[in-house]
Amino acid sequence: MAEAPTTLNPAQLQAVHHLSGPCLVLAGAGSGKTRVIVHKIARLLQAGLAPKEIAAITFTNKAAQEMRERAKSLVGARLAKDLAVSTFHSLGVRMLREDGTRVGLKEKYSILDADDVMGVLREAGGASDNKLARQWQWTISLWKNQGLDSQAAMAIAKDPDEQVAARVMKLYEERLAAYQAVDFDDLISLPLKLLLRDEEARVKWQGRFRHVLVDEYQDTNSVQYELLKLLVSHQDPRRRGLFTAVGDDDQSIYGWRGATIDNLKRLPQDWPDLKVIALEQNYRSTGSILRAANNVIAGNPKLFEKKLWSEFGDGDPVRLVECDGEEHEAERALAFIQGLRAQGGALAGARGGGAVADDRASGQIRFSDFAILYRANHLARPFEKKLRTANIPYKVSGGTGFFDRAEIKDLCAWLRLLVNQNDDPAFLRAVTTPKRGIGHTTLGKLGEFSSQWKLSLFEALFSKSLAAQLSAKALDQLHEFGRCVNDLEYRAGHTSGAEDAKALLLAWVKDIGYEQHLYDNEDSEKAAASRWTNVLDFIDWMSRRCGGEIKGDGGSAEGEKQTVLQVAQTISVIISLAERDDEQDVVTLSTLHASKGLEWPHVVLVGVNEGLLPFKSDAEEMTATRLEEERRLMYVGITRARTTLVVSTLRRRKKGRDTVQGVPSRFIGEMKLHEATTQENPRDKLKRIRAELAAKLAAAAPV
């Protein structure tokens, strides 16, 4: 992103200095919203608020960490240390850590990740089909984000499939209660339940924060809105409604997971004295890119008026590329990347007004300056193939992440079991990884026994009555595992600081023989060694958190030492929201959803066809609401580009096993690319040249 001026512009200043009541900052793409939030934090401190009285809430650990670092550079490390900068889920963890017992949780509870939830749902619904369990997972999550429990979900279920999902949801709720476990949706809904039903807790948390700032407000769901509303509904009128919501109605693209643009509509209704401030000056893109974005989004009804502009000049016109099919489209994208790199940025520097051209001193355009964006993951395949063939490095956003690897999930299961011995999914993974002679038969009998006596699997293995169900050998193996877990729990609860935590964790993986387990279960030593390196990286990651070297998650403050057990309690929320963002010189392939919040000098927006963008399957109707969200998705894609934007459409496209005629997306027409360079298909160009030559020869031929 180009450097914003050292002083705030008038709209930014207005947002920073409005402290007397509720404020909505409509932050257009690239308009410096994080800068406004950080400067407003500084202004609140200047007005006399203590750092711990200011809460800044966003959606990812990466965004929270960036906000904390920028606040530190502005107000200093001492003040920044006590700011309550966190994700929504980390705030929920913090509230439940202090007051979870008030809503029926034990002091030690587990946080299930998506894979654990899938396992519980399969078991609850008696399903072996992952696709079906995943559909239940999405449906139940959507209901929970709307504030519904299984009883309310059953009342609104509109077809037999949803009725089944509601029944599975009831069984799922029962299992979570038995396991003393919560899922990610519960990290918001349970704190809301706490504030709604417990006046003492409500008064406590309303008094905790004197000003709440919310980033990416358009991405909030109904439950998050109600939680925020309660947090700022202080009994004292002078402290009521002191919040700043920062968001953009034009970038609301997560309706499918419960986010609702209605939260923006509700703000002026619930807070009549709401101050609305629009940030329209863009510090990212050229005029031609912004003009295309403004033209597209103008097709949506407006909650609040806003039109992006910049001082960077028009720059290169947006280019429209017509391709024969997916493979040809990938070839054209590859040619664009290679061609622009060969020019060394001269073209962009000459036409882009200088301010947003590649600003590296060498003038060399790197692979990391390029992104290829698409509507759905499967569209990445031809681009991956062409990039690999050309030996161009790339990364696919949303691929298998570090924390999704099997070896990391294995260790996390052990750590979760230390925190909550009622966590049956964690028990089943830990007791079988590494293998210790405890087979499916033993675990099946243990499961039957635990169900009969309403015990967790861990509690059941120490029951005296279990001896009647199992052989002495099987019982000894279970008891040995139980003693191992109990011993590790004791040591983890009494070990803090980076060095001691690292020593403990290294000794633990050695004691359970995890390295040997990896070598025994991999086809090659190279693969096993790679997985073991991941284990060592994970241990380093854990120990640094115990030493307070990494902060901004799990409700911990900067520099605060934690025990291994404390870090383990929040591990699911930490790793789910963590984003390893190593700086690499690679081309980015990304879905439009995953690209939000990011930017690149050069963007190729591909597959811009009806049926793909806007996306529509044969089985569904394109409602006005769906079309508006798809249009916002197109707007997000356009505004990722700083200097150069190429929009690519297909003349023929694959649809299942068939090839169908490609119809350019309606959004291309809405962009109004009057100054765009429509690049002629090389095959068509050759045909045209041949036809023109033939016409000339015919005209010159004697009669």
Side-chain angles (χ1 to χ4, degrees), residues 217 220-222 224-225 260-268:
Y217 179 78
T220 55
N221 58 45
S222 299
Q224 287 163 336
Y225 180 88
T260 172
I261 202 168
D262 287 342
N263 287 352
L264 281 162
K265 297 178 184 177
R266 292 176 62 185
L267 273 179

Side-chain angles (χ1 to χ4, degrees), residues 541-542 545-546 562-571 574:
W541 181 85
M542 282 281 298
R545 275 169 170 73
C546 291
Q562 298 186 88
T563 67
V564 173
L565 199 62
Q566 286 175 318
V567 173
Q569 181 163 21
T570 58
I571 198 158
I574 292 172

